[in-house]
Amino acid sequence: MTKLPETASSSAPVRAQDRLIVALDVPTARQARELAAQLGDAAGIYKVGLQLFTAEGPAVVRDMVSSGKRVFLDLKLHDIPNTVAHAVKSAIGLGVSMLTIHGSGGPAMLKAATEAAAASDLLLLAVTVLTSMDENELSQVGIGGRVQDQVHRLAKLAQSSGCGGVVASARESSLIRSVVGDGFAIVNPGVRPAGAELNDQRRVATPAEAIRAGATHIVVGRPITQAADPAQAASAIVREIEQAQAGR
Ligand code: C5P
């Protein structure tokens, strides 16, 4: 099982800023560096996704890790088990703290990934159903039934395969928590502070709602990265997480 350094159920107290993951959805390493510098300690984890990684490669990750930042590498790996296992090892070599793989890659792929991560501190997260997919989209790729049934199935599979958590929408957190119990990370994107622009997100939750529903971490991009004062926006979210943590 991959390590779970910080969950709601861990006995060690978790700082609220370590539950906030800032999505660095910017095209260049220079912009990523500038944002991380502006944010300082206001956020605990930075998410490098496909856009930035494809443009700048592993150097951008090495750079952030060597400057003391914790990095969530969101590459949503999905390939044959051998290839995914080697990619997981490469990510561990970069020093990332969190990495995503697709739960729909199946048990052999998930097991190969978790075995590759076993001796490390990497938190391996399985993506259940992309929030951009609805029942109609799922049926077109041959998956019948409701989205929540597929989320439920993949969360169980991720846990039994040794993953440390899942990425899922906030509206699925309580269902997932009831299936996986404590000690399993649930990471919610699609989070918007009350009154913030929704951008292209549709089914959003506030930071407090997400934490109260069982999320261990939230991913926030544009409400922080496009704010006039990103550090202040992040700090306001951290305060909201602190209050929700205290109340749950
Ligand atoms: O700017 P915003 O807060 O919408 O950014 C959300 C981040 O979370 C983006 O990097 C997006 O790719 C990611 N994400 C998401 N929904 C998912 C999975 C990942 O919004 N289901």
Side-chain angles (χ1 to χ4, degrees):
M1 159 122 176
T2 55
K3 302 282 188 308
L4 184 53
E6 58 207 8
T7 69
S9 60
S10 149
S11 53
V14 179
R15 297 181 322 153
Q17 55 266 55
D18 292 329
R19 297 189 186 279
L20 174 60
I21 300 165
V22 177
L24 290 174
D25 294 326
V26 292
T28 67
R30 186 179 57 75
Q31 284 165 282
R33 263 196 307 273
E34 279 170 12
L35 257 173
Q38 272 178 299
L39 285 165
D41 291 331
I45 306 170
Y46 291 88
K47 183 169 89 69
V48 174
L50 288 168
Q51 179 189 10
L52 183 58
F53 194 79
T54 306
E56 298 281 4
V60 66
V61 175
R62 281 197 200 96
D63 192 33
M64 297 208 67
V65 169
S66 65
S67 69
K69 307 286 186 201
R70 295 176 63 207
V71 175
F72 171 7
L73 188 56
D74 186 18
L75 297 186
K76 299 186 179 71
L77 303 175
H78 191 162
D79 208 318
I80 60 170
N82 180 61
T83 302
V84 168
H86 286 295
V88 168
K89 294 242 184 229
S90 298
I92 292 167
L94 289 176
V96 306
S97 302
M98 303 164 98
L99 175 70
T100 44
I101 55 178
H102 269 287
S104 55
M109 188 200 86
L110 292 170
K111 284 211 180 78
T114 58
E115 277 162 25
S120 73
D121 287 332
L122 180 71
L123 178 55
L124 205 48
L125 299 165
V127 175
T128 55
V129 177
L130 292 171
T131 48
S132 54
M133 295 193 83
D134 57 15
E135 244 170 58
N136 178 37
E137 292 250 342
L138 277 184
S139 79
Q140 290 190 52
V141 294
I143 299 164
R146 298 176 308 167
V147 170
Q148 68 199 72
D149 295 332
Q150 181 68 357
V151 169
H152 182 267
R153 184 180 298 126
L154 291 179
K156 276 206 318 206
L157 178 63
Q159 188 178 40
S160 64
S161 304
C163 290
V166 289
V167 181
S169 114
R171 64 173 52 192
E172 290 148 3
S173 291
S174 54
L175 166 73
I176 293 171
R177 187 58 74 207
S178 71
V179 173
V180 298
D182 287 337
F184 195 71
I186 300 177
V187 178
N188 289 162
V191 174
R192 291 289 180 271
E197 284 284 327
L198 297 190
N199 312 111
D200 52 357
Q201 298 283 7
R202 291 288 167 268
R203 294 174 299 148
V204 299
T206 66
E209 285 166 350
I211 296 293
R212 280 199 227 104
T216 52
H217 303 78
I218 59 172
V219 178
V220 184
R222 288 160 289 181
I224 292 175
T225 58
Q226 294 181 2
D229 184 341
Q232 195 182 59
S235 298
I237 292 172
V238 167
R239 278 196 301 279
E240 197 177 326
I241 295 172
E242 262 162 6
Q243 283 160 7
Q245 258 180 212
R248 91 172 176 186

